[in-house]
Amino acid sequence: MRLFSKLGLTLFATSSLVLTGCQPFVQKPANISQQVEAENQFNLQGKIGVRTPQQSGSAFFTWVQQQQQFDIELSGILGVGKTQISGQPGQVTLNSAKTGIIYAESPEELLEQATGWQAPITHLVDWVQARPATVNAQIQKDPQQRPTQFIEDGWTVDLSYNDSASLPNRLILKQALESGQENRITMLIQNR
């Protein structure tokens, strides 16, 4: 039971942080900034699964993004194990019955505190909107010119779409490890 509790806590913290989309503020020209701000408003619901060499698990999520602020709720089946994550630039909090409140300055820092591993969490805001997070991304596209894969910051992100949808309904994030194993996050978006 104790192992399950630790695994559950780590899974929820990992899942929570994977979803956090708090992006650092970057000064952009007005027209580009306005377009990004409009795009960075969404409400997603779905399921997320996390698998590392040490553990695996899944949770249901609701993610509300309003430009630089976000609110994410994670829960197991029938709402068991509820975790709340909120953030804005410079302040991210995770609150659950098992951990209490954990504070950090960034989603990446919070993920490392909670789980001990690192991931480019802030990139998820872009990836769920079918766009690369950096100018250095390697991008593959399908015949409709929708991105099907990003390779950025040591992660490979595969995007899948329903029919002619312009935004992905499934993302698989993979990080190859030196041991030959991988960290894998599967995100299924059921409602936008």
Side-chain angles (χ1 to χ4, degrees), residues 149 154-158 172-176 182-185:
Q149 186 177 78
W155 287 79
T156 300
V157 181
D158 294 317
I172 299 175
L173 292 69
K174 297 174 280 192
Q175 178 189 41
E182 69 178 8
N183 289 327
R184 178 184 288 245
I185 301 161

PDB file of all heavy atoms in Angstrom, residues 149 154-158 172-176 182-185:
ATOM      1  N   GLN A 149       5.223  15.681 -35.991  1.00  0.00           N
ATOM      2  CA  GLN A 149       6.301  15.396 -35.050  1.00  0.00           C
ATOM      3  C   GLN A 149       7.153  16.640 -34.833  1.00  0.00           C
ATOM      4  O   GLN A 149       7.476  17.367 -35.773  1.00  0.00           O
ATOM      5  CB  GLN A 149       7.194  14.268 -35.556  1.00  0.00           C
ATOM      6  CG  GLN A 149       8.240  13.826 -34.542  1.00  0.00           C
ATOM      7  CD  GLN A 149       9.057  12.668 -35.064  1.00  0.00           C
ATOM      8  OE1 GLN A 149       9.955  12.861 -35.878  1.00  0.00           O
ATOM      9  NE2 GLN A 149       8.739  11.468 -34.593  1.00  0.00           N
ATOM     10  N   GLY A 154      15.570  17.525 -26.537  1.00  0.00           N
ATOM     11  CA  GLY A 154      15.758  16.140 -26.121  1.00  0.00           C
ATOM     12  C   GLY A 154      14.482  15.309 -26.096  1.00  0.00           C
ATOM     13  O   GLY A 154      14.507  14.172 -25.634  1.00  0.00           O
ATOM     14  N   TRP A 155      13.383  15.843 -26.576  1.00  0.00           N
ATOM     15  CA  TRP A 155      12.105  15.131 -26.606  1.00  0.00           C
ATOM     16  C   TRP A 155      11.610  14.993 -28.040  1.00  0.00           C
ATOM     17  O   TRP A 155      11.789  15.886 -28.860  1.00  0.00           O
ATOM     18  CB  TRP A 155      11.047  15.884 -25.791  1.00  0.00           C
ATOM     19  CG  TRP A 155      11.283  15.780 -24.321  1.00  0.00           C
ATOM     20  CD1 TRP A 155      12.183  16.493 -23.582  1.00  0.00           C
ATOM     21  CD2 TRP A 155      10.634  14.896 -23.407  1.00  0.00           C
ATOM     22  NE1 TRP A 155      12.135  16.103 -22.261  1.00  0.00           N
ATOM     23  CE2 TRP A 155      11.182  15.138 -22.128  1.00  0.00           C
ATOM     24  CE3 TRP A 155       9.633  13.938 -23.546  1.00  0.00           C
ATOM     25  CZ2 TRP A 155      10.763  14.442 -20.987  1.00  0.00           C
ATOM     26  CZ3 TRP A 155       9.209  13.252 -22.419  1.00  0.00           C
ATOM     27  CH2 TRP A 155       9.781  13.507 -21.166  1.00  0.00           C
ATOM     28  N   THR A 156      10.970  13.865 -28.320  1.00  0.00           N
ATOM     29  CA  THR A 156      10.276  13.645 -29.582  1.00  0.00           C
ATOM     30  C   THR A 156       8.790  13.649 -29.264  1.00  0.00           C
ATOM     31  O   THR A 156       8.332  12.907 -28.397  1.00  0.00           O
ATOM     32  CB  THR A 156      10.676  12.296 -30.206  1.00  0.00           C
ATOM     33  OG1 THR A 156      12.083  12.311 -30.451  1.00  0.00           O
ATOM     34  CG2 THR A 156       9.935  12.054 -31.510  1.00  0.00           C
ATOM     35  N   VAL A 157       8.045  14.507 -29.965  1.00  0.00           N
ATOM     36  CA  VAL A 157       6.612  14.643 -29.721  1.00  0.00           C
ATOM     37  C   VAL A 157       5.869  14.234 -30.986  1.00  0.00           C
ATOM     38  O   VAL A 157       6.016  14.860 -32.035  1.00  0.00           O
ATOM     39  CB  VAL A 157       6.241  16.098 -29.348  1.00  0.00           C
ATOM     40  CG1 VAL A 157       4.749  16.220 -29.066  1.00  0.00           C
ATOM     41  CG2 VAL A 157       7.068  16.583 -28.177  1.00  0.00           C
ATOM     42  N   ASP A 158       5.089  13.146 -30.900  1.00  0.00           N
ATOM     43  CA  ASP A 158       4.274  12.686 -32.023  1.00  0.00           C
ATOM     44  C   ASP A 158       2.851  13.190 -31.823  1.00  0.00           C
ATOM     45  O   ASP A 158       2.264  12.995 -30.754  1.00  0.00           O
ATOM     46  CB  ASP A 158       4.292  11.160 -32.106  1.00  0.00           C
ATOM     47  CG  ASP A 158       5.680  10.629 -32.453  1.00  0.00           C
ATOM     48  OD1 ASP A 158       6.336  11.216 -33.336  1.00  0.00           O
ATOM     49  OD2 ASP A 158       6.110   9.648 -31.832  1.00  0.00           O
ATOM     50  N   ILE A 172       2.180  12.086 -27.988  1.00  0.00           N
ATOM     51  CA  ILE A 172       3.054  11.141 -27.300  1.00  0.00           C
ATOM     52  C   ILE A 172       4.430  11.793 -27.218  1.00  0.00           C
ATOM     53  O   ILE A 172       5.043  12.091 -28.238  1.00  0.00           O
ATOM     54  CB  ILE A 172       3.131   9.792 -28.025  1.00  0.00           C
ATOM     55  CG1 ILE A 172       1.744   9.150 -28.093  1.00  0.00           C
ATOM     56  CG2 ILE A 172       4.130   8.865 -27.324  1.00  0.00           C
ATOM     57  CD1 ILE A 172       1.696   7.858 -28.897  1.00  0.00           C
ATOM     58  N   LEU A 173       4.882  12.032 -25.992  1.00  0.00           N
ATOM     59  CA  LEU A 173       6.172  12.653 -25.743  1.00  0.00           C
ATOM     60  C   LEU A 173       7.138  11.571 -25.298  1.00  0.00           C
ATOM     61  O   LEU A 173       6.831  10.815 -24.376  1.00  0.00           O
ATOM     62  CB  LEU A 173       6.060  13.704 -24.639  1.00  0.00           C
ATOM     63  CG  LEU A 173       5.259  14.973 -24.915  1.00  0.00           C
ATOM     64  CD1 LEU A 173       3.782  14.718 -25.044  1.00  0.00           C
ATOM     65  CD2 LEU A 173       5.516  15.985 -23.813  1.00  0.00           C
ATOM     66  N   LYS A 174       8.301  11.496 -25.946  1.00  0.00           N
ATOM     67  CA  LYS A 174       9.286  10.469 -25.617  1.00  0.00           C
ATOM     68  C   LYS A 174      10.649  11.117 -25.395  1.00  0.00           C
ATOM     69  O   LYS A 174      11.077  11.956 -26.177  1.00  0.00           O
ATOM     70  CB  LYS A 174       9.386   9.440 -26.744  1.00  0.00           C
ATOM     71  CG  LYS A 174       8.093   8.672 -26.985  1.00  0.00           C
ATOM     72  CD  LYS A 174       8.198   7.774 -28.192  1.00  0.00           C
ATOM     73  CE  LYS A 174       7.989   8.615 -29.421  1.00  0.00           C
ATOM     74  NZ  LYS A 174       7.794   7.876 -30.646  1.00  0.00           N
ATOM     75  N   GLN A 175      11.295  10.669 -24.329  1.00  0.00           N
ATOM     76  CA  GLN A 175      12.650  11.114 -24.021  1.00  0.00           C
ATOM     77  C   GLN A 175      13.518   9.870 -23.894  1.00  0.00           C
ATOM     78  O   GLN A 175      13.319   9.059 -22.989  1.00  0.00           O
ATOM     79  CB  GLN A 175      12.670  11.906 -22.714  1.00  0.00           C
ATOM     80  CG  GLN A 175      14.061  12.363 -22.312  1.00  0.00           C
ATOM     81  CD  GLN A 175      14.076  12.959 -20.910  1.00  0.00           C
ATOM     82  OE1 GLN A 175      13.434  12.442 -20.008  1.00  0.00           O
ATOM     83  NE2 GLN A 175      14.833  14.045 -20.745  1.00  0.00           N
ATOM     84  N   ALA A 176      14.466   9.723 -24.811  1.00  0.00           N
ATOM     85  CA  ALA A 176      15.382   8.582 -24.758  1.00  0.00           C
ATOM     86  C   ALA A 176      16.365   8.786 -23.609  1.00  0.00           C
ATOM     87  O   ALA A 176      16.885   9.880 -23.400  1.00  0.00           O
ATOM     88  CB  ALA A 176      16.123   8.451 -26.077  1.00  0.00           C
ATOM     89  N   GLU A 182      13.224   4.731 -21.907  1.00  0.00           N
ATOM     90  CA  GLU A 182      12.689   6.050 -22.198  1.00  0.00           C
ATOM     91  C   GLU A 182      11.664   6.478 -21.159  1.00  0.00           C
ATOM     92  O   GLU A 182      11.080   5.648 -20.465  1.00  0.00           O
ATOM     93  CB  GLU A 182      12.044   6.093 -23.580  1.00  0.00           C
ATOM     94  CG  GLU A 182      10.766   5.295 -23.702  1.00  0.00           C
ATOM     95  CD  GLU A 182      10.117   5.389 -25.076  1.00  0.00           C
ATOM     96  OE1 GLU A 182      10.724   5.949 -26.011  1.00  0.00           O
ATOM     97  OE2 GLU A 182       8.991   4.888 -25.218  1.00  0.00           O
ATOM     98  N   ASN A 183      11.487   7.781 -21.074  1.00  0.00           N
ATOM     99  CA  ASN A 183      10.358   8.364 -20.367  1.00  0.00           C
ATOM    100  C   ASN A 183       9.313   8.622 -21.446  1.00  0.00           C
ATOM    101  O   ASN A 183       9.642   9.127 -22.521  1.00  0.00           O
ATOM    102  CB  ASN A 183      10.730   9.684 -19.687  1.00  0.00           C
ATOM    103  CG  ASN A 183      11.649   9.474 -18.502  1.00  0.00           C
ATOM    104  OD1 ASN A 183      11.573   8.475 -17.807  1.00  0.00           O
ATOM    105  ND2 ASN A 183      12.533  10.438 -18.266  1.00  0.00           N
ATOM    106  N   ARG A 184       8.042   8.285 -21.160  1.00  0.00           N
ATOM    107  CA  ARG A 184       6.989   8.445 -22.160  1.00  0.00           C
ATOM    108  C   ARG A 184       5.756   9.036 -21.487  1.00  0.00           C
ATOM    109  O   ARG A 184       5.324   8.577 -20.443  1.00  0.00           O
ATOM    110  CB  ARG A 184       6.630   7.118 -22.797  1.00  0.00           C
ATOM    111  CG  ARG A 184       5.502   7.219 -23.817  1.00  0.00           C
ATOM    112  CD  ARG A 184       5.125   5.853 -24.356  1.00  0.00           C
ATOM    113  NE  ARG A 184       6.161   5.353 -25.232  1.00  0.00           N
ATOM    114  CZ  ARG A 184       6.002   5.147 -26.527  1.00  0.00           C
ATOM    115  NH1 ARG A 184       4.848   5.363 -27.090  1.00  0.00           N
ATOM    116  NH2 ARG A 184       6.999   4.704 -27.253  1.00  0.00           N
ATOM    117  N   ILE A 185       5.205  10.043 -22.131  1.00  0.00           N
ATOM    118  CA  ILE A 185       3.977  10.679 -21.667  1.00  0.00           C
ATOM    119  C   ILE A 185       2.982  10.620 -22.813  1.00  0.00           C
ATOM    120  O   ILE A 185       3.286  11.059 -23.927  1.00  0.00           O
ATOM    121  CB  ILE A 185       4.233  12.144 -21.259  1.00  0.00           C
ATOM    122  CG1 ILE A 185       5.286  12.203 -20.150  1.00  0.00           C
ATOM    123  CG2 ILE A 185       2.938  12.817 -20.840  1.00  0.00           C
ATOM    124  CD1 ILE A 185       5.942  13.544 -19.997  1.00  0.00           C
TER     125      ILE A 185
END
